[in-house]
Amino acid sequence: MIAYDLVIVGGGPAGLAAAVSAKENGVDSILILERENRLGGILNQCIHNGFGLHTFQEELTGTEYAYRYIQKVKELGIDYKVSAFVTDINVQKQITAAVRGEGLLEVQANAIILAMGCRERSRGALNIAGTRPAGIFSAGTAQYFVNVLGIMPGKEVVILGSGDIGLIMARRMTLEGAHVKCVAEILPKSGGLQRNIVQCLEDYDIPLRLSHTVIEIHGEKRLTGVTLAAVDEKLKSIPGTEEYIPCDTLLLSVGLIPENELTRQLPVTMLPETKGPKVDAGMQTDLPGVFACGNVVRVYDLVDNVSAAAVVAGRSAAEYLRE
Amino acid sequence: MVNCMRDVIIIGAGVVGASVARALSAYQADVLVLEKECEMCMGTSKANSALVHAGFDAKPGSRKAEFNVSGSRMMEQLCRELDVPYSRDGALVLAFSEEEKGVLQELYDRGVKNGVNEMEILDAEAVKSLEPHVSDRVAGALYAGSAALVCPFLLTTALCENAYVNGVEFAFEEEVTGIEKMTDASGKVAGYQIQTPKASYQARCVINCAGVYADTLHNMVSSRKYHITPVRGEYCLLDRSEGGLVQHTLFRVPSAKGKGVLVTRTVHGNILLGPTAEPGNDKESTATTAKGLERVLAETKDMVNDIDVGKVITSFAGLRAHEDGGDFVIGVAEDAPCFYDALGIESPGLSAAPAIGCFLAELVSGENGFAKKPSEDFHPYRKGIPAFARMSNEERNDVIRSNPAYGNIICRCEEITEGEILEAIRRPLGARTLDGIKRRVRAGMGRCQSGFCMPKLTEILARELGQELTDITKSGEGSRILEKESRRKSDDSI
Ligand SMILES: Cc1cc2nc3c(=O)[nH]c(=O)nc-3n(C[C@H](O)[C@H](O)[C@H](O)COP(=O)(O)OP(=O)(O)OC[C@H]3O[C@@H](n4cnc5c(N)ncnc54)[C@H](O)[C@@H]3O)c2cc1C
Ligand SMILES: Cc1cc2nc3c(=O)[nH]c(=O)nc-3n(C[C@H](O)[C@H](O)[C@H](O)COP(=O)(O)OP(=O)(O)OC[C@H]3O[C@@H](n4cnc5c(N)ncnc54)[C@H](O)[C@@H]3O)c2cc1C
């Protein structure tokens, strides 16, 4: 077992900004644990711009935004370990991570910052009827395929859900030569940022079908189409409005859920509204010495706000460690 | 292409064909399994309630009763030999009225006739103390202690692996489209000629384990015609976080409308709700329907409180192979010597499979003079793929040090490592598709339903199989994950 004053779980923008903030507030012994093979979190696949307007007063891509923080972490000499998947955490603030090629890493911490981000809701969670073919992706997975692996998931695309990732992927898929037939949103209003609706849909003439949802999936092996229907105020589909749309790809952008598997191993109060831990103004949970920031607390629209909350978490952790 | 004459060809690599293959691999015979899909366990055996039924349901004296009870007695030992998850949780048949309580006694008596042990009729209070989430309207229940849970994917896969290790050959993507009797000079049946789109095979014996298609194959060689109706059953699966909802498998007293839905844990700790029962005529249609899923949720909520619809992680459907006669048809076809059927194997077919396998292996070997292999030539044991998620910290440390790939967690929901995935691909009859990996090691079976691990699984499969990323499929031909002519290709050509 090794020891650190502060262990940060997750090396996305929240974890990175929290580390920098804690260091700047006087904590010297910090370890960031990140399960991917590089720091940066979800930003590593966000090659579009729109990040950093608040934090840096300039418009950066997600990867550039992450790079600035990664550089800072390196400059400040903060320890980090990648390919380190935290599997267990306990009330004594002991953390266990599986490290690729090395074995288990056990760390005793005096304070912990949880910054595990969030995950996308899947098709299953929507319980859409129909077949279970290939060709259905969460928008973030499709983004990884296109932006990181450089491979298109399909050509004729329907997007369900108008969250920001869905909107951004509508534009991305179009730029890569796919035909995005529509973005369907069950609510009467899009959940995405206005600028994304303009820049990602309207500029490309992609129809946004509000108060519509996919009620059935077709195709045995690969997706061949979806049935779209209008919904009433109770979000129930209206008989007679069904419309078959042939497509080979369905992207789901139907919400993000904070990734709190680890948090649930601790006696920490969780809020049903946010699906994240309850935190005070200093981003401390109700277990003293355990802090949380970023999408693990609640889903943020803007990474700048994540960084701002992470700064608070880092500072509070430093104060806690001083006491 | 015509292949040489084999002793036995088994058609179908579901749990029944796999059980027959494994049992026959203890005999001196050369056996080939033909399966139309690209892997084993892609038919009904992958979409069912995964229960080892105690055996009080079937009519006394029926084939179903006989094979259910004997199969379920064999299951635990078989799962031990093959290292397949099995858990004897017991079952409760819930009665919600005085009238239904009367039926409990009938079920009990039928169970006794069928040879089922460990049954007891419980009053409402006893039921509530065993299962606090059961609706307060419960009036009593039949308890059956021998009911168990099994993993149908791993069982089928393990049976095939073990059969293969013991010398059985498998040919996938071989759909039997024709079977003809071959006669000798005296006009006696000397074997069968079996046609697939790719090849022609000959065998002295054929064992028909083709699930919902067993009628079609049987009818090619026999004038005694059978007819199978696919009866669809839809399910919803809940997150493992809900695993504590029930401790036993909960059925309802069967009504005029049928057996009704059940609520059960799975061996992996999820909760399974369903199935419906809708007869149809499409033998491929395993689509779920909005109506069906609604029914599943409404009817299970009527039995059990605190079912959280928000915890559904997936839904699916399977097809029961219902023969018009309503019973299993097991044995040699009347007018086709050496053509054996396992036909109409609907529920409790999974429970019965071990017994069907042994019965047919003995029958076929007896009639055709295949001797038992000397015991040193038959290896009944198989080791499962060690699961990182269920290891202690010491074991985790050891396994990562000896195999670094175990330190790389790929499926974060189920904590499945690259080490397990590689093993699933590299084993005999290894995984060739994303679904194949999922059935063997559960990567992608968790709450994010492979949202996160799909790209990584695709990369690992492509690397291991020496294929392009764009060649990788979800479930075989026609189910590519990615666009074949991708940007990467065109970039390269610039
Ligand atoms: C597709 C997409 C597009 C977006 N577009 C914009 C935009 O245009 N503008 C904008 O301002 N914002 C945008 N955002 C929002 C912003 O990127 C997120 O709010 C931000 O990335 C959240 O930061 P985080 O650190 O909380 O989470 P993440 O970036 O998800 O980082 C969490 C990290 O924790 C790691 N982790 C999790 N569990 C473990 C564990 N058990 N062990 C070790 N490590 C673990 C993860 O691997 C990950 O690296 C976008 C987000 C997405 C997903
Ligand atoms: C909703 C539902 C719930 C159930 N619950 C239970 C339960 O809890 N307990 C229980 O004991 N039983 C249960 N059953 C029954 C059990 O699942 C089946 O009896 C069992 O899986 C049947 O196995 P099989 O090998 O006969 O069929 P399958 O698994 O369908 O295998 C048949 C195989 O043959 C192949 N095939 C078909 N035609 C050809 C051809 N022409 N050429 C080559 N290959 C071919 C198919 O591809 C398939 O792989 C349930 C069934 C359903 C549908």
Side-chain angles (χ1 to χ4, degrees), chain B residues 277-349:
Chain B
E278 307 135 58
N281 42 34
D282 183 349
K283 291 183 172 180
E284 294 295 319
S285 175
T286 54
T288 57
T289 61
K291 262 211 192 84
L293 298 178
E294 255 168 52
R295 252 195 62 198
V296 165
L297 292 171
E299 291 181 14
T300 51
K301 279 175 152 179
D302 189 51
M303 299 164 65
V304 175
N305 304 326
D306 311 314
I307 290 176
D308 180 354
V309 181
K311 293 290 159 98
V312 172
I313 61 171
T314 185
S315 55
F316 60 92
L319 298 173
R320 303 172 184 85
H322 179 75
E323 207 285 315
D324 290 353
D327 201 2
F328 293 167
V329 177
I330 300 171
V332 68
E334 284 159 39
D335 54 353
C338 299
F339 188 96
Y340 303 87
D341 289 304
L343 186 154
I345 312 298
E346 58 183 329
S347 189

Side-chain angles (χ1 to χ4, degrees), chain A residues 9-15 33-36 40-43 45-46 48-51 84-86 115-118 143 165 168 195 259 262 293-296 300-304 306:
Chain A
V9 185
L33 294 173
E34 166 56 49
R35 68 179 164 204
E36 293 301 312
I42 200 74
L43 295 185
Q45 64 185 59
C46 297
H48 55 280
N49 60 1
F51 298 81
F85 192 116
V86 176
M116 290 89 74
C118 62
Q143 188 177 48
I165 317 178
I168 282 160
R195 72 155 197 250
E259 175 131 359
L262 285 175
C293 59
N295 279 346
V296 81
Y300 286 82
D301 288 333
L302 279 180
V303 72
D304 299 77
V306 167

Side-chain angles (χ1 to χ4, degrees), chain A residues 35-36 83 85-88 96-106 118-120 122-138 140-141 144-155 172 176 215-217 220-222 236 248-249 259 261 264-265, chain B residues 37 42 46 236 282 284-290 293-294 297 309-310 312-317 388 392-394 396-397 400-401 404 406-409 412-413 415 418 447-452 454-456 458-459 469-470 474-483 485-488:
Chain A
R35 68 179 164 204
E36 293 301 312
S83 300
F85 192 116
V86 176
T87 55
D88 290 288
T96 310
V99 186
R100 192 177 186 170
E102 291 181 22
L104 290 190
L105 177 71
E106 293 182 275
C118 62
R119 66 172 67 201
E120 296 176 275
S122 69
R123 169 195 173 182
L126 304 179
N127 225 4
I128 308 174
T131 53
R132 293 164 297 288
I136 303 173
F137 305 84
S138 58
T141 303
Y144 181 86
F145 273 124
V146 177
N147 290 352
V148 180
L149 297 182
I151 299 186
M152 286 290 279
K155 279 186 184 146
R172 188 86 195 110
E176 292 297 338
I215 57 164
E216 194 175 349
I217 285 167
E220 292 298 330
K221 288 287 188 177
R222 174 86 196 196
K236 284 261 171 244
D248 60 21
T249 304
E259 175 131 359
E261 274 66 17
R264 288 202 187 83
Q265 296 180 9
Chain B
E37 301 294 335
M42 290 181 61
K46 79 163 154 59
C236 295
D282 183 349
E284 294 295 319
S285 175
T286 54
T288 57
T289 61
L293 298 178
E294 255 168 52
L297 292 171
V309 181
V312 172
I313 61 171
T314 185
S315 55
F316 60 92
F388 182 83
S392 69
N393 276 356
E394 291 72 48
R396 287 181 173 186
N397 237 331
I400 299 175
R401 295 227 171 96
Y406 263 88
N408 188 15
I409 296 180
R412 61 188 182 187
C413 301
E415 285 189 0
E418 185 178 1
R447 57 183 66 107
C448 89
Q449 291 286 299
S450 86
F452 171 79
M454 186 201 285
K456 295 188 180 186
T458 310
E459 284 182 284
L469 283 172
T470 48
K474 177 172 187 288
S475 58
E477 215 186 318
S479 67
R480 273 184 217 289
I481 305 292
L482 296 161
E483 186 54 45
E485 292 98 42
S486 247
R487 181 166 59 104
R488 182 135 97 182

Side-chain angles (χ1 to χ4, degrees), chain B residues 125-297:
Chain B
E125 207 181 323
V127 176
K128 282 295 276 187
S129 75
L130 285 176
E131 292 291 352
H133 294 281
V134 162
S135 157
D136 293 336
R137 292 178 294 103
V138 75
L142 171 68
Y143 168 78
S146 63
L149 315 173
V150 68
C151 174
F153 325 119
L154 286 181
L155 178 62
T156 308
T157 308
L159 285 162
C160 290
E161 265 182 31
N162 190 240
Y164 178 86
V165 166
N166 284 302
V168 173
E169 278 180 77
F170 286 79
F172 294 104
E173 293 180 317
E174 284 283 23
E175 176 171 2
V176 175
T177 49
I179 310 176
E180 263 172 54
K181 286 178 188 157
M182 302 186 318
T183 46
D184 62 13
S186 66
K188 254 183 62 196
V189 174
Y192 292 86
Q193 171 98 19
I194 296 181
Q195 203 56 48
T196 73
K198 290 190 211 154
S200 180
Y201 297 88
Q202 297 181 346
R204 285 164 62 197
C205 314
V206 176
I207 310 180
N208 170 18
C209 307
V212 286
Y213 292 103
D215 54 347
T216 312
L217 297 185
H218 171 97
N219 295 347
M220 288 176 182
V221 298
S222 171
S223 56
R224 160 72 170 96
K225 302 299 179 193
Y226 285 103
H227 176 252
I228 289 175
T229 306
V231 180
R232 183 165 52 185
E234 302 186 27
Y235 293 93
C236 295
L237 188 80
L238 303 186
D239 196 303
R240 268 192 290 127
S241 64
E242 308 306 287
L245 193 66
V246 299
Q247 314 302 319
H248 303 80
T249 298
L250 305 181
F251 300 97
R252 296 190 76 128
V253 163
S255 71
K257 282 188 287 173
K259 236 167 94 179
V261 296
L262 57 89
V263 178
T264 187
R265 224 169 53 87
T266 69
V267 276
H268 299 287
N270 297 83
I271 293 285
L272 188 60
L273 310 175
T276 54
E278 307 135 58
N281 42 34
D282 183 349
K283 291 183 172 180
E284 294 295 319
S285 175
T286 54
T288 57
T289 61
K291 262 211 192 84
L293 298 178
E294 255 168 52
R295 252 195 62 198
V296 165
L297 292 171

Side-chain angles (χ1 to χ4, degrees), chain A residues 154-181:
Chain A
K155 279 186 184 146
E156 297 291 318
V157 186
V158 168
I159 299 180
L160 176 60
S162 62
D164 286 310
I165 317 178
L167 300 177
I168 282 160
M169 283 312 290
R171 174 175 64 186
R172 188 86 195 110
M173 296 289 282
T174 306
L175 291 175
E176 292 297 338
H179 175 207
V180 178
K181 299 196 156 175

